[in-house]
Amino acid sequence: MESESTVTTCYRHPKVESYVRCTRCDRYICPACMREAAVGHQCPECVKEGARSIRQARTVVGGRVSAVPLVTYVLIGLIVLVYIGEVIRPEIVDRFAMLTARLVGPDGGHYVYQSSYPSDFHAEGVVAGQWERLLTSGFLHAEPTEGTFGLLHVVMNTAALWQLGRAVEPLLGRVRFLALYLLSTVGGSVLELLLTDPNDTSLGASGAIFGLGAAYYVLARRGGSDMQAVNRFMAFLLLWLVASATFTSWQGHLGGLLTGGAVTLAYAYAPRGPRQGLIQAATCVALLALLVAVSIAKYLELTQ
């Protein structure tokens, strides 16, 4: 009869007898700890160590490869949820749309902004410190009460995001794609801050969409794609930019296009190697700092 001293147990569960060893570390493992390997079984720690040692696949710009454009789907879902919120509470648009400056009188009416105004008035917009409008406006769309355009606005932008996001996000990776999208949104708002009438409001994801369009073009050139179809797409995008001058904010579109192009140039042409991500991140931070500095300069101009 085998003595108790010769009984072997699982290294993770000392009370469970085991006679199978991990093929990597040679420790005894019980059935609950066995992980099937190419040869024999491995323990959970060796499986994790093996996964860490496998080099992760990277995109051409250094992002992690992902077959599912999760960020694109989340952004579309967020836009749809915000639009439902607009239907329920229309005042959301008035509070979070892009607005440089205006005055609200004691009667609730809106008036042209002046740096000096009566005490019973109050200012709204970026000039009143509502900096979040630079970003939140990119998730709002024309209200349903504005007729056909109200619904068409959100449908067109989400459809464009669906098409471009599924093409661009897998090439960039999720983190870089999200940074591109948010910076393009802010870039479009900042150009509106500089070039539009301070009392005008604007909203929509179009600035970010134009940023994605610029990214699609830059990445196609960087990857050596067939440029004939890409050039047709860019011609359509530029035509949309020109046409938008008649019915919406061309400033936001142009700002998103320029910002998205600048970000993607940094992504696509940063030297490969251990510093690639650092260079890309530094460029994004520098661009954000520039946008902030320009916004503050405009704010000071309006408040002095």
Side-chain angles (χ1 to χ4, degrees):
M1 182 176 178
E2 188 177 32
S3 63
E4 186 176 351
S5 61
T6 63
V7 174
T8 55
T9 60
C10 174
Y11 81 99
R12 298 178 76 235
H13 304 98
K15 296 183 179 180
V16 179
E17 293 186 20
S18 177
Y19 302 96
V20 176
R21 295 176 184 266
C22 171
T23 55
R24 287 192 66 177
C25 66
D26 206 36
R27 293 179 292 187
Y28 286 102
I29 49 177
C30 66
C33 297
M34 293 178 186
R35 303 293 184 267
E36 189 171 347
V39 178
H41 296 83
Q42 295 181 5
C43 65
E45 282 77 6
C46 287
V47 170
K48 292 179 182 178
E49 182 64 28
R52 285 194 294 266
S53 65
I54 297 174
R55 185 177 180 181
Q56 295 291 328
R58 295 282 175 175
T59 68
V60 67
V61 303
R64 289 189 177 183
V65 173
S66 176
V68 179
L70 179 63
V71 176
T72 297
Y73 297 155
V74 170
L75 289 171
I76 291 174
L78 184 58
I79 288 172
V80 172
L81 286 175
V82 171
Y83 197 72
I84 294 173
E86 293 178 32
V87 175
I88 299 173
R89 299 190 63 180
E91 61 269 22
I92 291 175
V93 174
D94 190 55
R95 173 59 184 84
F96 293 103
M98 177 56 200
L99 170 68
T100 301
R102 72 181 173 201
L103 294 177
V104 179
D107 58 351
H110 296 156
Y111 300 88
V112 175
Y113 176 79
Q114 297 176 351
S115 57
S116 178
Y117 51 86
S119 59
D120 55 348
F121 282 65
H122 70 271
E124 284 188 337
V126 174
V127 75
Q130 296 170 348
W131 298 98
E132 67 278 2
R133 290 178 181 263
L134 295 172
L135 182 61
T136 57
S137 59
F139 294 89
L140 298 168
H141 288 83
E143 298 175 69
T145 55
E146 295 187 20
T148 304
F149 179 72
L151 184 59
L152 187 62
H153 191 206
V154 68
V155 169
M156 287 183 61
N157 279 344
T158 51
L161 176 55
W162 170 267
Q163 293 293 336
L164 284 170
R166 290 187 301 159
V168 174
E169 184 179 342
L171 297 175
L172 295 181
R174 292 171 181 170
V175 174
R176 287 168 176 80
F177 177 81
L178 181 60
L180 167 71
Y181 188 92
L182 296 179
L183 282 171
S184 297
T185 300
V186 174
S189 296
V190 169
L191 202 62
E192 290 174 356
L193 179 69
L194 294 178
L195 301 181
T196 61
D197 185 294
N199 198 56
D200 289 345
T201 59
S202 59
L203 70 176
S206 300
I209 299 300
F210 271 80
L212 295 184
Y216 177 67
Y217 178 79
V218 172
L219 292 171
R221 290 191 64 88
R222 177 68 175 84
S225 301
D226 177 13
M227 294 305 296
Q228 187 173 0
V230 177
N231 288 334
R232 285 198 298 267
F233 167 76
M234 285 305 297
F236 168 75
L237 199 67
L238 294 175
L239 181 62
W240 183 8
L241 176 63
V242 173
S244 67
T246 62
F247 59 87
T248 186
S249 171
W250 66 267
Q251 296 91 339
H253 295 175
L254 181 60
L257 182 74
L258 295 176
T259 304
V263 171
T264 313
L265 283 171
Y267 285 167
Y269 293 99
R272 291 190 178 185
R275 295 186 179 181
Q276 183 183 29
L278 180 61
I279 293 172
Q280 294 167 343
T283 302
C284 290
V285 171
L287 182 57
L288 178 60
L290 175 62
L291 294 173
V292 170
V294 170
S295 301
I296 292 175
K298 183 65 176 180
Y299 168 83
L300 294 175
E301 175 188 331
L302 290 169
T303 54
Q304 286 179 351

mmCIF file of all heavy atoms in Angstrom, residues 161-186:
data_model
loop_
_atom_site.group_PDB
_atom_site.id
_atom_site.type_symbol
_atom_site.label_atom_id
_atom_site.label_comp_id
_atom_site.label_asym_id
_atom_site.label_seq_id
_atom_site.Cartn_x
_atom_site.Cartn_y
_atom_site.Cartn_z
ATOM 1 N N LEU A 161 -20.332 57.880 -40.249
ATOM 2 C CA LEU A 161 -19.476 57.342 -39.196
ATOM 3 C C LEU A 161 -19.390 55.827 -39.288
ATOM 4 O O LEU A 161 -18.317 55.233 -39.073
ATOM 5 C CB LEU A 161 -20.019 57.773 -37.829
ATOM 6 C CG LEU A 161 -19.299 57.231 -36.588
ATOM 7 C CD1 LEU A 161 -17.809 57.555 -36.633
ATOM 8 C CD2 LEU A 161 -19.930 57.799 -35.320
ATOM 9 N N TRP A 162 -20.496 55.180 -39.615
ATOM 10 C CA TRP A 162 -20.523 53.723 -39.779
ATOM 11 C C TRP A 162 -19.557 53.293 -40.885
ATOM 12 O O TRP A 162 -18.777 52.359 -40.705
ATOM 13 C CB TRP A 162 -21.949 53.292 -40.104
ATOM 14 C CG TRP A 162 -22.109 51.864 -40.521
ATOM 15 C CD1 TRP A 162 -22.108 51.369 -41.800
ATOM 16 C CD2 TRP A 162 -22.281 50.730 -39.663
ATOM 17 N NE1 TRP A 162 -22.283 50.011 -41.793
ATOM 18 C CE2 TRP A 162 -22.394 49.583 -40.496
ATOM 19 C CE3 TRP A 162 -22.361 50.567 -38.284
ATOM 20 C CZ2 TRP A 162 -22.578 48.306 -39.987
ATOM 21 C CZ3 TRP A 162 -22.554 49.285 -37.783
ATOM 22 C CH2 TRP A 162 -22.658 48.184 -38.618
ATOM 23 N N GLN A 163 -19.587 53.985 -42.011
ATOM 24 C CA GLN A 163 -18.734 53.617 -43.139
ATOM 25 C C GLN A 163 -17.266 53.933 -42.868
ATOM 26 O O GLN A 163 -16.385 53.077 -43.038
ATOM 27 C CB GLN A 163 -19.203 54.348 -44.404
ATOM 28 C CG GLN A 163 -20.572 53.917 -44.899
ATOM 29 C CD GLN A 163 -20.600 52.479 -45.406
ATOM 30 O OE1 GLN A 163 -19.586 51.935 -45.805
ATOM 31 N NE2 GLN A 163 -21.765 51.862 -45.371
ATOM 32 N N LEU A 164 -16.975 55.150 -42.448
ATOM 33 C CA LEU A 164 -15.585 55.546 -42.244
ATOM 34 C C LEU A 164 -14.976 54.897 -41.015
ATOM 35 O O LEU A 164 -13.795 54.519 -41.015
ATOM 36 C CB LEU A 164 -15.502 57.073 -42.120
ATOM 37 C CG LEU A 164 -15.628 57.851 -43.424
ATOM 38 C CD1 LEU A 164 -15.779 59.347 -43.148
ATOM 39 C CD2 LEU A 164 -14.419 57.606 -44.309
ATOM 40 N N GLY A 165 -15.760 54.767 -39.956
ATOM 41 C CA GLY A 165 -15.230 54.169 -38.737
ATOM 42 C C GLY A 165 -14.782 52.736 -38.938
ATOM 43 O O GLY A 165 -13.724 52.326 -38.461
ATOM 44 N N ARG A 166 -15.562 51.967 -39.671
ATOM 45 C CA ARG A 166 -15.201 50.572 -39.916
ATOM 46 C C ARG A 166 -13.977 50.445 -40.816
ATOM 47 O O ARG A 166 -13.292 49.416 -40.802
ATOM 48 C CB ARG A 166 -16.379 49.828 -40.533
ATOM 49 C CG ARG A 166 -17.539 49.609 -39.565
ATOM 50 C CD ARG A 166 -18.603 48.735 -40.176
ATOM 51 N NE ARG A 166 -19.134 49.315 -41.407
ATOM 52 C CZ ARG A 166 -19.751 48.612 -42.341
ATOM 53 N NH1 ARG A 166 -19.895 47.298 -42.210
ATOM 54 N NH2 ARG A 166 -20.211 49.203 -43.427
ATOM 55 N N ALA A 167 -13.687 51.490 -41.586
ATOM 56 C CA ALA A 167 -12.497 51.469 -42.440
ATOM 57 C C ALA A 167 -11.257 51.980 -41.713
ATOM 58 O O ALA A 167 -10.156 51.464 -41.896
ATOM 59 C CB ALA A 167 -12.744 52.304 -43.697
ATOM 60 N N VAL A 168 -11.433 53.001 -40.874
ATOM 61 C CA VAL A 168 -10.284 53.676 -40.259
ATOM 62 C C VAL A 168 -9.881 53.057 -38.925
ATOM 63 O O VAL A 168 -8.687 52.896 -38.641
ATOM 64 C CB VAL A 168 -10.592 55.182 -40.082
ATOM 65 C CG1 VAL A 168 -9.479 55.883 -39.304
ATOM 66 C CG2 VAL A 168 -10.789 55.843 -41.441
ATOM 67 N N GLU A 169 -10.856 52.691 -38.084
ATOM 68 C CA GLU A 169 -10.514 52.181 -36.749
ATOM 69 C C GLU A 169 -9.623 50.946 -36.785
ATOM 70 O O GLU A 169 -8.646 50.871 -36.020
ATOM 71 C CB GLU A 169 -11.783 51.902 -35.943
ATOM 72 C CG GLU A 169 -11.487 51.471 -34.514
ATOM 73 C CD GLU A 169 -12.729 51.218 -33.682
ATOM 74 O OE1 GLU A 169 -13.823 51.672 -34.064
ATOM 75 O OE2 GLU A 169 -12.606 50.540 -32.639
ATOM 76 N N PRO A 170 -9.879 49.949 -37.646
ATOM 77 C CA PRO A 170 -8.976 48.792 -37.676
ATOM 78 C C PRO A 170 -7.553 49.150 -38.082
ATOM 79 O O PRO A 170 -6.605 48.449 -37.711
ATOM 80 C CB PRO A 170 -9.626 47.866 -38.713
ATOM 81 C CG PRO A 170 -11.063 48.257 -38.727
ATOM 82 C CD PRO A 170 -11.063 49.729 -38.508
ATOM 83 N N LEU A 171 -7.374 50.235 -38.830
ATOM 84 C CA LEU A 171 -6.039 50.644 -39.260
ATOM 85 C C LEU A 171 -5.293 51.392 -38.163
ATOM 86 O O LEU A 171 -4.056 51.396 -38.137
ATOM 87 C CB LEU A 171 -6.134 51.527 -40.511
ATOM 88 C CG LEU A 171 -6.727 50.867 -41.759
ATOM 89 C CD1 LEU A 171 -6.860 51.891 -42.872
ATOM 90 C CD2 LEU A 171 -5.864 49.693 -42.205
ATOM 91 N N LEU A 172 -6.021 52.029 -37.271
ATOM 92 C CA LEU A 172 -5.394 52.839 -36.224
ATOM 93 C C LEU A 172 -5.329 52.130 -34.876
ATOM 94 O O LEU A 172 -4.417 52.380 -34.090
ATOM 95 C CB LEU A 172 -6.158 54.155 -36.045
ATOM 96 C CG LEU A 172 -6.158 55.146 -37.200
ATOM 97 C CD1 LEU A 172 -6.938 56.394 -36.817
ATOM 98 C CD2 LEU A 172 -4.740 55.513 -37.606
ATOM 99 N N GLY A 173 -6.286 51.279 -34.604
ATOM 100 C CA GLY A 173 -6.435 50.755 -33.249
ATOM 101 C C GLY A 173 -7.401 51.651 -32.484
ATOM 102 O O GLY A 173 -7.633 52.810 -32.847
ATOM 103 N N ARG A 174 -7.962 51.136 -31.423
ATOM 104 C CA ARG A 174 -9.046 51.834 -30.725
ATOM 105 C C ARG A 174 -8.615 53.137 -30.072
ATOM 106 O O ARG A 174 -9.302 54.154 -30.174
ATOM 107 C CB ARG A 174 -9.662 50.889 -29.694
ATOM 108 C CG ARG A 174 -10.416 49.729 -30.322
ATOM 109 C CD ARG A 174 -10.827 48.682 -29.314
ATOM 110 N NE ARG A 174 -11.531 47.571 -29.972
ATOM 111 C CZ ARG A 174 -11.836 46.440 -29.383
ATOM 112 N NH1 ARG A 174 -11.503 46.240 -28.109
ATOM 113 N NH2 ARG A 174 -12.466 45.483 -30.046
ATOM 114 N N VAL A 175 -7.476 53.137 -29.384
ATOM 115 C CA VAL A 175 -7.052 54.336 -28.650
ATOM 116 C C VAL A 175 -6.741 55.468 -29.611
ATOM 117 O O VAL A 175 -7.192 56.611 -29.425
ATOM 118 C CB VAL A 175 -5.830 54.017 -27.766
ATOM 119 C CG1 VAL A 175 -5.298 55.286 -27.113
ATOM 120 C CG2 VAL A 175 -6.203 52.994 -26.698
ATOM 121 N N ARG A 176 -5.979 55.188 -30.652
ATOM 122 C CA ARG A 176 -5.624 56.221 -31.621
ATOM 123 C C ARG A 176 -6.857 56.721 -32.370
ATOM 124 O O ARG A 176 -6.975 57.916 -32.664
ATOM 125 C CB ARG A 176 -4.570 55.683 -32.600
ATOM 126 C CG ARG A 176 -3.179 55.532 -31.978
ATOM 127 C CD ARG A 176 -2.265 54.730 -32.882
ATOM 128 N NE ARG A 176 -0.907 54.637 -32.365
ATOM 129 C CZ ARG A 176 -0.526 53.795 -31.415
ATOM 130 N NH1 ARG A 176 -1.408 52.961 -30.873
ATOM 131 N NH2 ARG A 176 0.733 53.770 -31.005
ATOM 132 N N PHE A 177 -7.767 55.816 -32.676
ATOM 133 C CA PHE A 177 -8.987 56.216 -33.370
ATOM 134 C C PHE A 177 -9.818 57.157 -32.508
ATOM 135 O O PHE A 177 -10.319 58.184 -32.992
ATOM 136 C CB PHE A 177 -9.797 54.976 -33.734
ATOM 137 C CG PHE A 177 -11.110 55.281 -34.401
ATOM 138 C CD1 PHE A 177 -11.170 55.581 -35.749
ATOM 139 C CD2 PHE A 177 -12.291 55.263 -33.672
ATOM 140 C CE1 PHE A 177 -12.385 55.859 -36.366
ATOM 141 C CE2 PHE A 177 -13.505 55.538 -34.283
ATOM 142 C CZ PHE A 177 -13.553 55.845 -35.636
ATOM 143 N N LEU A 178 -9.968 56.839 -31.233
ATOM 144 C CA LEU A 178 -10.756 57.694 -30.341
ATOM 145 C C LEU A 178 -10.108 59.062 -30.193
ATOM 146 O O LEU A 178 -10.800 60.095 -30.209
ATOM 147 C CB LEU A 178 -10.905 57.023 -28.973
ATOM 148 C CG LEU A 178 -11.723 57.795 -27.937
ATOM 149 C CD1 LEU A 178 -13.147 58.017 -28.428
ATOM 150 C CD2 LEU A 178 -11.735 57.054 -26.600
ATOM 151 N N ALA A 179 -8.781 59.100 -30.055
ATOM 152 C CA ALA A 179 -8.079 60.380 -29.959
ATOM 153 C C ALA A 179 -8.292 61.209 -31.218
ATOM 154 O O ALA A 179 -8.533 62.423 -31.156
ATOM 155 C CB ALA A 179 -6.595 60.143 -29.723
ATOM 156 N N LEU A 180 -8.212 60.565 -32.376
ATOM 157 C CA LEU A 180 -8.452 61.256 -33.645
ATOM 158 C C LEU A 180 -9.859 61.830 -33.692
ATOM 159 O O LEU A 180 -10.053 63.001 -34.073
ATOM 160 C CB LEU A 180 -8.243 60.275 -34.805
ATOM 161 C CG LEU A 180 -8.747 60.710 -36.184
ATOM 162 C CD1 LEU A 180 -7.882 61.826 -36.734
ATOM 163 C CD2 LEU A 180 -8.789 59.536 -37.146
ATOM 164 N N TYR A 181 -10.836 61.046 -33.309
ATOM 165 C CA TYR A 181 -12.233 61.479 -33.371
ATOM 166 C C TYR A 181 -12.476 62.686 -32.460
ATOM 167 O O TYR A 181 -13.080 63.685 -32.878
ATOM 168 C CB TYR A 181 -13.139 60.320 -32.974
ATOM 169 C CG TYR A 181 -14.608 60.592 -33.185
ATOM 170 C CD1 TYR A 181 -15.224 60.239 -34.380
ATOM 171 C CD2 TYR A 181 -15.379 61.202 -32.201
ATOM 172 C CE1 TYR A 181 -16.575 60.479 -34.594
ATOM 173 C CE2 TYR A 181 -16.726 61.463 -32.403
ATOM 174 C CZ TYR A 181 -17.316 61.099 -33.601
ATOM 175 O OH TYR A 181 -18.650 61.362 -33.799
ATOM 176 N N LEU A 182 -12.006 62.610 -31.230
ATOM 177 C CA LEU A 182 -12.253 63.687 -30.274
ATOM 178 C C LEU A 182 -11.497 64.959 -30.654
ATOM 179 O O LEU A 182 -12.033 66.075 -30.544
ATOM 180 C CB LEU A 182 -11.865 63.234 -28.867
ATOM 181 C CG LEU A 182 -12.683 62.065 -28.302
ATOM 182 C CD1 LEU A 182 -12.193 61.696 -26.912
ATOM 183 C CD2 LEU A 182 -14.167 62.387 -28.277
ATOM 184 N N LEU A 183 -10.256 64.817 -31.109
ATOM 185 C CA LEU A 183 -9.490 65.996 -31.521
ATOM 186 C C LEU A 183 -10.109 66.651 -32.749
ATOM 187 O O LEU A 183 -10.133 67.887 -32.849
ATOM 188 C CB LEU A 183 -8.040 65.607 -31.803
ATOM 189 C CG LEU A 183 -7.143 65.420 -30.577
ATOM 190 C CD1 LEU A 183 -5.804 64.823 -30.978
ATOM 191 C CD2 LEU A 183 -6.924 66.750 -29.857
ATOM 192 N N SER A 184 -10.617 65.860 -33.677
ATOM 193 C CA SER A 184 -11.281 66.427 -34.858
ATOM 194 C C SER A 184 -12.541 67.186 -34.456
ATOM 195 O O SER A 184 -12.846 68.242 -35.023
ATOM 196 C CB SER A 184 -11.630 65.313 -35.854
ATOM 197 O OG SER A 184 -10.469 64.673 -36.337
ATOM 198 N N THR A 185 -13.262 66.656 -33.489
ATOM 199 C CA THR A 185 -14.448 67.352 -32.989
ATOM 200 C C THR A 185 -14.083 68.705 -32.404
ATOM 201 O O THR A 185 -14.689 69.734 -32.727
ATOM 202 C CB THR A 185 -15.152 66.498 -31.920
ATOM 203 O OG1 THR A 185 -15.547 65.243 -32.489
ATOM 204 C CG2 THR A 185 -16.387 67.208 -31.378
ATOM 205 N N VAL A 186 -13.069 68.717 -31.545
ATOM 206 C CA VAL A 186 -12.640 69.970 -30.916
ATOM 207 C C VAL A 186 -12.058 70.920 -31.956
ATOM 208 O O VAL A 186 -12.304 72.128 -31.917
ATOM 209 C CB VAL A 186 -11.620 69.679 -29.800
ATOM 210 C CG1 VAL A 186 -11.060 70.970 -29.226
ATOM 211 C CG2 VAL A 186 -12.268 68.858 -28.689
#
